[in-house]
């Protein structure tokens, strides 16, 4: 397994948690009324964030090279 960028993984997890809170937010007693495709933003956004940090930014805040 290659060295994954831990910063990208942490940011992707935070993104998923925040987006899940926004997607499931609805008035009390009602079900959330979102189109089905909007839930694809969770995995697609997480993949985009981790690949962005792995291949473009390439700086890891948790593994600082000395």
């Amino acid at each position: 397994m290659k060295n994954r960028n831990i910063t990208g993984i942490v940011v992707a997890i935070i993104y998923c948690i925040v987006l899940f809170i926004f997607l499931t937010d609805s008035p009390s007693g009602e079900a959330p009324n979102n189109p089905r495709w909007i839930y694809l933003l969770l995995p697609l956004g997480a993949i985009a964030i981790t690949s962005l940090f792995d291949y473009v930014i390439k700086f890891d805040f948790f593994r600082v090279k000395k």
Side-chain angles (χ1 to χ4, degrees):
M1 183 175 180
K2 73 174 208 169
N3 292 333
R4 299 294 308 255
N5 195 326
I6 297 176
T7 305
I9 294 171
V10 170
V11 171
I13 290 172
I14 292 170
Y15 165 80
C16 288
I17 291 170
V18 169
L19 189 62
F20 180 76
I21 291 170
F22 283 124
L23 288 177
T24 57
D25 187 33
S26 65
S28 60
E30 294 183 20
N33 189 12
N34 297 324
R36 292 187 187 266
W37 62 267
I38 199 101
Y39 293 103
L40 285 174
L41 293 177
L42 279 164
L44 293 178
I47 291 170
I49 290 171
T50 53
S51 60
L52 180 75
F53 273 91
D54 282 341
Y55 300 113
V56 177
I57 296 174
K58 295 183 182 179
F59 183 75
D60 197 353
F61 292 105
F62 295 103
R63 289 187 199 155
V64 178
K65 295 180 182 178
K66 296 175 181 159

